[in-house]
Amino acid sequence: GTASAPLKLKLSAEEEGLWSVKADLKANGPKEEGLTVGDWSMNLTDELFVADLWGGDVEKAGIKTPLEFVKTDDDVAAEDGSAHLRLASDVAGYVDLTLDYDPKADLFLFASKKLDDVTVGGALKKNLKEEGVLASGHVAYTMGALTLTGEAGVDTAEEEDNLMLGGKVGYKLSDKLTVGGKVTHKAENVGDELLIEPSVTYEESLFKATAAYTWKDDLDKDATKATNK
């Protein structure tokens, strides 16, 4: 007889520290033709950069600025029928850059530079088919157990009421326990929101737990919410 179920294959090849390729292949049944590719990913590691390319249902961890004014999805997957590219480089030690791009979605660029006790950075999000850019810049200052962070953002797709401002503080009471809090404000056309969130984080080698109280005020609609997590 003839097999009616497709044959599934897993492909994996690599040269340690230099490149790797992984893919799920499916040899279709008799009523279909050819091979189809399911989940797949590629990695290339060079002295100057690390490049990742993936598709199917493969997901990579998201990227965000300290106060999340510019952020990717929490779990980044390629759009249907597309491939997702992430390119990271320290530009010969001058600045850390990460480009995240999907031709069917958005382009993100994140940059940061540590200068002794101060870290400065910036980020942008651009849909190449639409007008405007979402951009932000941030500064973090560390003094012993205390870290202070400020961030400002703007969405140029909006002509007015398009600013975002925020700050946060973190203080390490011990190697495992950190207390902190953040305050952010988004203008009418970019969220129209005031958020206040104190938090406590406990971290062990195998797990991390955070308890936070979030107070969120929708400034124009008089809808105030408080949540615990």
Side-chain angles (χ1 to χ4, degrees):
T2 303
S4 59
L7 176 64
K8 295 183 179 180
L9 305 172
K10 287 186 177 292
L11 170 68
S12 179
E14 68 175 316
E15 185 172 348
E16 187 173 356
L18 294 177
W19 61 268
S20 67
V21 176
K22 297 179 181 179
D24 292 341
L25 304 178
K26 183 173 72 173
N28 296 314
K31 296 182 179 180
E32 302 177 41
E33 295 182 358
L35 288 172
T36 57
V37 180
D39 300 345
W40 63 273
S41 64
M42 301 174 62
N43 170 271
L44 176 63
T45 301
D46 185 78
E47 293 182 355
L48 298 178
F49 64 87
V50 175
D52 285 289
L53 191 68
W54 67 91
D57 292 328
V58 173
E59 294 180 339
K60 303 285 186 179
I63 310 172
K64 59 188 176 183
T65 58
L67 290 168
E68 303 184 24
F69 290 160
V70 178
K71 63 178 181 178
T72 66
D73 292 337
D74 291 338
D75 299 303
V76 181
E79 295 292 318
D80 290 341
S82 184
H84 203 101
L85 170 68
R86 182 172 292 174
L87 185 67
S89 173
D90 66 355
V91 193
Y94 290 103
V95 62
D96 293 325
L97 287 177
T98 301
L99 180 145
D100 193 90
Y101 176 58
D102 190 315
K104 292 188 176 182
D106 300 309
L107 178 134
F108 291 86
L109 183 63
F110 297 86
S112 66
K113 175 66 176 178
K114 185 173 177 59
L115 304 166
D116 296 324
D117 296 329
V118 177
T119 299
V120 297
L124 62 84
K125 174 184 177 181
K126 172 64 179 174
N127 187 310
L128 301 181
K129 298 179 181 180
E130 298 178 2
E131 297 293 329
V133 174
L134 175 64
S136 77
H138 62 268
V139 178
Y141 174 67
T142 300
M143 182 175 58
L146 178 68
T147 300
L148 302 172
T149 305
E151 184 173 346
V154 62
D155 188 348
T156 64
E158 305 291 342
E159 295 183 356
E160 57 184 18
D161 295 325
N162 59 358
L163 297 178
M164 298 169 284
L165 298 171
K168 70 176 183 177
V169 58
Y171 187 83
K172 291 182 70 69
L173 295 175
S174 68
D175 291 339
K176 299 179 180 180
L177 188 63
T178 301
V179 296
K182 69 178 180 180
V183 178
T184 61
H185 175 265
K186 298 179 180 179
E188 181 177 354
N189 291 326
V190 288
D192 197 20
E193 174 185 279
L194 173 66
L195 181 145
I196 302 173
E197 185 179 87
S199 63
V200 178
T201 300
Y202 181 80
E203 187 169 3
E204 289 275 7
S205 58
L206 297 179
F207 76 95
K208 179 179 180 180
T210 298
Y213 175 84
T214 302
W215 187 87
K216 186 183 294 187
D217 188 359
D218 189 335
L219 298 175
D220 273 358
K221 299 179 177 60
D222 196 27
T224 301
K225 297 180 181 179
T227 58
N228 295 290
K229 61 180 181 180

